Amino acid sequence: MYRFLLPLYLLCLGPLLLPAQPLIGQWQSWLPTLPAIAVAQQGDKVYCATSSGLFSVTTGAEQDISRYSKVNGLYDIGIRAISSNENGVLIAYRNSNLDFLSGSNSYNLPELLRKQTTSDKTIFRIYPGGSNMYLCTGLGVVVVNTTAPEIAATYALGPVYGFTVLNNQYYAATATGVKTSPMTGTNPADYRNWSAVGQLADTVSNILSFGGQLICQQGTKLYILQNNAWEPYYSGVTNLAVQGDYLTISNPTSIVFIGKDGSVGTPVQDGLLKAIRQTTGDKQYTWVADSLSGLLQYDGQTFSTISLNGPASILTGQLLFTNNTLYAPAGGVSDSWAANNNTGVYYTYSNGDWQQYTDSLHHDIMVMAPDPAGNGLYAGSFGNGLIHIASDGTRTYELPNQKISGLTTDASGNLWIAVYGASYNLVCKKPDGTYLTFRSTYAQSGNAISQLIADDAGQIWIVSPQSNGIFIYNTVSNQWTQYRQGSAQGNLPSNDVNCMAKDKNGSIWVGTGTGIGVIACSTCDAVWPIIQQGNFAGYLFQDEEVTAIAVDGANRKWVGTHKGVWLVNEDGTGIVENFTTDNSPLPGNRIYSISINPNTGEVYFATDQGLMSYRGTATEGKTMSKDSVLVFPNPVTHDYGGNIAISGLADNSLVKITDVSGRVVYQTWSKGGLALWNGVDYTGHRPQTGVYLVFASSATTGEHLVTKIVFIN
C-alpha cells in the first residue's frame, strides 16, 4: 500500500491562497515538536522523529523544513525508531506498524502490526545494511527489503536489541549476550544456526562495527571484542553511533568522538545538550535528537537549534480563538483535578505563524479570555492565580496562589473567574478593577468549579466537577439554580459534567460523562437529543464521555469525546461528520478542546497526541458587501476538482451563480456565512471557460451581485 507523499506546506496551498488557508475539507497538523526521540540522515535531508510526528530539514544553508503526518502520507502516529539507507527512510511505530518513505512515495508495511503472536513485537532499533533494514524486535530480527519494499524474513531469536554486520557475519545483541550467524551458507531464520560470541551472558543493549572491530553496549559500559573475548572499552554511555571515521558516544548531556586509531576526544558539552536520545551525521555536521531541546546541529564549534513553526508540546488547556488569533495554553489538570505541573506556557497562532510565551513563575496556564476593556487578555494558572497580559506585553499578577479553572466575560464588561477549591469560588472583576466574590447556595463537594459561560440574560453558567452538575448564578436576582441528574433536578444525563457551549439560539449544550443534555432556559429541564441513524434511534452520545463542544457559524455542534470528534446538525438529530484516528488524519481520539475560526470555518482539535485542524463548511455570517465576499480558489483552473467556497455572506443567504447572460448554473443556501459549490452545473457538467456572476440575498437584504468567479479550462 502506498501514497503519494507531499510536504505538508504544499497541502496548504491552493490557487491564490495564503499558506495558512487550506481548502475546504483539508487538514493541517501542528503535532508537538518535542520530545525529539530519533534522528537519521538520508542524502541531503536529516529526519527527526518526535513523540507524535516527523520532520526533515535540508543540510544546506537554506535548511528547508518539511513536516510529515497522516495529513500528507504517513499511515500512523507514535514513532519509536527511524533509520535510512540509499532507498529511503524506514519509520517504526510503537504499535509495530511500518512506513517507508522513498522519494515522493510513502509505503505502508503493516504485516508485523497484523501478525498474530504472543511474542513481544516492540521495535527497539533499526540497523541499515545495504538495501535491507534489520528491525531489532521483541521476537527477533525482522528483515525489510527496501527495494520492494516488503518484509523479507524473520529470525526468531527472542528479544534482539541491536544488530550489525561484519566480515560476512550477522551479530545480534540479545537478552543472553551477543550471538552470530553466517550471512551465507546457513539459514539465519533457524535459531540453531546462531552461536554465542564472547563471555557476556546478560542483556546486551546495542552492538555495532567500527574500524573493522565489534563494539557492544551492556548497561552504560562499552566492550570491544578481542580474541573472542569482550574487553572493557569505555563507560558512562547511553547512546552510540558510527559517524564517518568516528565512533560517537554520548550520555544525556555530552558527546565524545573516538577515532579509528582509538584517540578519544574531549567531551563536548553545551547548554542545549540536556537529554540526548540519538546522534547521526557526516564529516560536516553532527545532528542530535535531544528530548528537551529538539533537533540540534553541531558544526564542530557551536550547537544550534532547528526551530519549527508550531507548538512544542501537547495542548491540554482550553483553546480560545479571538481577534483573529488562536490561543493555545499548554497547562492542565489530571482527571482527578490535580495540576499537571507544566511550565506556564501558551502559544498563539496568527497569519500562519506560531509564537510561544513562557511564564516560568506560573505553572499550568489552562484557560484564557479576552480583556473586556480591549487591552490584551487574561490567563488563568491552576495554582498561581490570574495573569493580565496587556497588548504591549506587560504582565500584571492577581489572585496569587489560586487555582484558576475558568474565565469568561459578560456584556457589562465584567470578567468572571472560577477559583477551584476556594470557599467563595466564583469571582467577578468589575470594569473599575474591584472584586466581588460569590458562593453557590447549594452543596458542592470540593468547592469544585471550572468552565464558565455568560448568557444573554445576565446569568453565569458554571460547570462543577466532582459530580456536582451545573450551577447557574443570576446576577440580576442574586439567585442560584442547580442542574443535576434526575427529572426533578434538571434532567442532566449525568452529574459528571465536563463542558458546555452556548449556541446561537441561546441554548446551553452540556457535555457529560454519559452524553449531552440541551437546556433551552434556566427554568427548563435538560432535553436529550434523539439521533436517527437508519431504522434505529437513540440519545445523542448516550454513554459516551463528552469532553468538548463548539458551535460553528451554521449553529451546528462539533463534539469531542474519548472516541474521536463528531459534527452534528443544529438540533443534534443528525450526524454530519465523524472523524477518528481510523478514518481521518486525526492524531488522537481523546479530544481535550475544540475552537473555531469564525471567519474561515477552520476547526481546531486539541487531542492527546497533538493539535490538528480541519477546514469546515460553515463560517459566521457578516454584514454582506462586495468587499466582504471572497471566493476561493479564484480563478478555478482546469485541474481543480474540489469545492469552491464563497465566504463573507450573511447568515443563511440564498446564493445564485449565473453566466454573463443571466442563466442560472447553480443555486444553494449558505451555512452561516459560507456557501459551497462543487464546480458543476445542474446538468452535472463543468462550466465553460469564462466569468460567472455570484448573486446573494438574505432575510434582510435583496438580491445583489456580490462577486465573480473565473473558470479556466
Side-chain angles (χ1 to χ4, degrees):
M1 185 185 300
Y2 77 94
R3 296 174 178 165
F4 186 72
L5 185 68
L6 284 176
L8 184 58
Y9 65 85
L10 290 180
L11 289 181
C12 302
L13 294 174
L16 301 184
L17 288 181
L18 295 174
Q21 191 177 45
L23 298 173
I24 297 296
Q26 282 192 343
W27 294 79
Q28 290 193 97
S29 69
W30 293 281
L31 300 180
T33 61
L34 294 177
I37 60 172
V39 63
Q41 185 167 354
Q42 206 268 337
D44 66 345
K45 287 186 177 181
V46 173
Y47 291 80
C48 181
T50 69
S51 61
S52 299
L54 178 75
F55 68 92
S56 67
V57 56
T58 56
T59 57
E62 294 297 326
Q63 290 193 336
D64 294 328
I65 294 175
S66 299
R67 302 180 74 159
Y68 308 90
S69 70
K70 290 168 65 179
V71 171
N72 62 332
L74 299 189
Y75 287 79
D76 221 319
I77 193 168
I79 297 174
R80 186 173 179 90
I82 61 174
S83 189
S84 63
N85 64 11
E86 61 183 10
N87 290 331
V89 178
L90 185 64
I91 303 163
Y93 296 96
R94 290 192 291 267
N95 62 2
S96 302
N97 201 1
L98 299 172
D99 278 343
F100 185 65
L101 307 186
S102 180
S104 59
N105 292 322
S106 171
Y107 301 87
N108 183 232
L109 308 176
E111 290 79 9
L112 184 59
L113 169 67
R114 296 172 181 171
K115 183 179 179 65
Q116 299 296 315
T117 178
T118 57
S119 299
D120 181 10
K121 296 188 292 183
T122 301
I123 299 170
F124 302 108
R125 202 181 307 276
I126 307 173
Y127 170 75
S131 62
N132 287 339
M133 296 273 201
Y134 298 86
L135 308 181
C136 303
T137 78
L139 55 83
V141 178
V142 177
V143 184
V144 177
N145 178 347
T146 62
T147 302
E150 63 184 6
I151 291 179
T154 300
Y155 309 153
L157 306 178
V160 173
Y161 305 106
F163 191 85
T164 194
V165 174
L166 180 64
N167 298 331
N168 208 36
Q169 289 281 127
Y170 292 132
Y171 292 90
T174 77
T176 56
V178 177
K179 295 182 179 180
T180 186
S181 174
M183 294 179 64
T184 58
T186 61
N187 180 14
D190 186 344
Y191 72 93
R192 292 171 295 185
N193 292 324
W194 291 77
S195 58
V197 178
Q199 77 282 13
L200 297 178
D202 294 329
T203 298
V204 176
S205 58
N206 201 0
I207 189 168
L208 51 75
S209 59
F210 173 65
Q213 294 180 298
L214 287 176
I215 297 172
C216 76
Q217 179 180 355
Q218 190 174 61
T220 60
K221 296 180 179 179
L222 297 184
Y223 296 87
I224 188 168
L225 187 66
Q226 294 180 339
N227 299 320
N228 205 38
W230 293 104
E231 301 294 340
Y233 185 69
Y234 202 89
S235 62
V237 177
T238 54
N239 301 282
L240 70 159
V242 175
Q243 183 179 330
D245 294 333
Y246 291 92
L247 176 67
T248 305
I249 62 177
S250 59
N251 60 35
T253 59
S254 67
I255 300 173
V256 173
F257 296 94
I258 300 178
K260 289 184 177 179
D261 60 359
S263 59
V264 180
T266 302
V268 178
Q269 296 179 308
D270 190 88
L272 290 172
L273 297 177
K274 301 174 182 178
I276 298 172
R277 292 289 297 270
Q278 191 174 12
T279 64
T280 191
D282 51 27
K283 294 181 179 180
Q284 186 175 11
Y285 297 115
T286 298
W287 300 86
V288 182
D290 187 287
S291 290
L292 300 179
S293 296
L295 179 62
L296 305 176
Q297 181 190 52
Y298 178 57
D299 62 5
Q301 299 294 325
T302 59
F303 286 87
S304 57
T305 303
I306 306 302
S307 299
L308 272 69
N309 185 31
S313 61
I314 301 292
L315 303 173
T316 50
Q318 296 300 304
L319 301 178
L320 169 70
F321 199 97
T322 184
N323 295 326
N324 295 314
T325 300
L326 177 71
Y327 292 86
V333 294
S334 67
D335 290 340
S336 59
W337 281 86
N340 288 341
N341 289 316
N342 294 335
T343 303
V345 171
Y346 70 91
Y347 301 89
T348 64
Y349 178 66
S350 180
N351 296 322
D353 290 324
W354 285 91
Q355 298 292 331
Q356 176 179 327
Y357 299 89
T358 302
D359 191 323
S360 58
L361 299 178
H362 292 75
H363 67 80
D364 286 303
I365 295 174
M366 58 179 288
V367 290
M368 305 184 80
D371 181 350
N375 182 23
L377 70 157
Y378 285 91
S381 162
F382 195 79
N384 294 119
L386 184 68
I387 309 167
H388 179 252
I389 306 164
S391 300
D392 63 2
T394 302
R395 299 190 178 197
T396 306
Y397 301 102
E398 306 171 50
L399 304 179
N401 303 319
Q402 299 300 312
K403 298 177 179 178
I404 308 302
S405 52
L407 295 171
T408 195
T409 59
D410 65 19
S412 299
N414 298 308
L415 174 72
W416 291 88
I417 307 159
V419 184
Y420 189 96
S423 295
Y424 286 83
N425 48 13
L426 179 63
V427 177
C428 174
K429 183 179 181 182
K430 299 177 69 63
D432 62 6
T434 59
Y435 283 92
L436 301 174
T437 59
F438 306 88
R439 175 181 174 82
S440 170
T441 55
Y442 294 89
Q444 48 183 311
S445 59
N447 294 326
I449 64 172
S450 57
Q451 185 188 358
L452 306 176
I453 289 178
D455 69 12
D456 301 328
Q459 300 178 121
I460 307 300
W461 296 69
I462 307 161
V463 170
S464 184
Q466 299 192 16
S467 300
N468 292 316
I470 285 177
F471 299 120
I472 305 171
Y473 174 61
N474 190 312
T475 62
V476 178
S477 65
N478 197 32
Q479 298 296 310
W480 287 84
T481 307
Q482 184 180 29
Y483 274 78
R484 291 176 57 84
Q485 190 175 18
S487 59
Q489 301 185 70
N491 199 40
L492 292 180
S494 167
N495 291 331
D496 295 318
V497 177
N498 300 316
C499 57
M500 301 182 297
K502 181 169 74 74
D503 75 6
K504 294 182 178 302
N505 299 322
S507 296
I508 304 296
W509 288 61
V510 182
T512 77
T514 58
I516 284 180
V518 181
I519 306 172
C521 66
S522 61
T523 59
C524 306
D525 273 357
V527 174
W528 305 1
I530 296 176
I531 194 162
Q532 187 77 35
Q533 291 181 291
N535 295 324
F536 300 94
Y539 291 119
L540 184 63
F541 299 105
Q542 185 173 12
D543 298 326
E544 291 288 342
E545 186 90 20
V546 177
T547 56
I549 305 174
V551 180
D552 75 5
N555 206 26
R556 303 175 302 179
K557 283 74 183 178
W558 286 96
V559 180
T561 71
H562 286 177
K563 297 180 180 179
V565 65
W566 277 258
L567 174 63
V568 298
N569 61 7
E570 181 174 2
D571 59 5
T573 59
I575 294 175
V576 181
E577 299 278 10
N578 170 221
F579 299 130
T580 69
T581 56
D582 292 330
N583 68 6
S584 76
L586 198 69
N589 281 331
R590 182 167 183 171
I591 310 299
Y592 292 136
S593 181
I594 303 173
S595 189
I596 303 173
N597 181 335
N599 299 315
T600 67
E602 191 163 9
V603 188
Y604 297 88
F605 307 111
T607 80
D608 59 346
Q609 297 296 321
L611 182 70
M612 188 75 71
S613 74
Y614 172 79
R615 185 65 184 270
T617 57
T619 63
E620 293 292 332
K622 295 184 176 181
T623 301
M624 194 162 48
S625 67
K626 282 188 177 182
D627 293 334
S628 74
V629 178
L630 174 68
V631 175
F632 55 93
N634 194 18
V636 182
T637 57
H638 71 280
D639 56 350
Y640 180 72
N643 279 315
I644 301 162
I646 306 165
S647 66
L649 301 168
D651 270 331
N652 199 30
S653 293
L654 176 62
V655 178
K656 295 180 181 179
I657 300 169
T658 76
D659 60 20
V660 291
S661 68
R663 182 178 65 90
V664 176
V665 297
Y666 189 74
Q667 178 175 302
T668 189
W669 291 89
S670 70
K671 291 182 173 64
L674 180 69
L676 298 180
W677 178 28
N678 62 4
V680 298
D681 61 21
Y682 286 118
T683 67
H685 295 92
R686 182 183 176 91
Q688 296 179 352
T689 295
V691 177
Y692 292 81
L693 310 179
V694 180
F695 295 88
S697 60
S698 69
T700 58
T701 64
E703 185 173 270
H704 298 284
L705 172 66
V706 291
T707 190
K708 300 176 183 179
I709 305 174
V710 177
F711 268 78
I712 302 174
N713 293 324

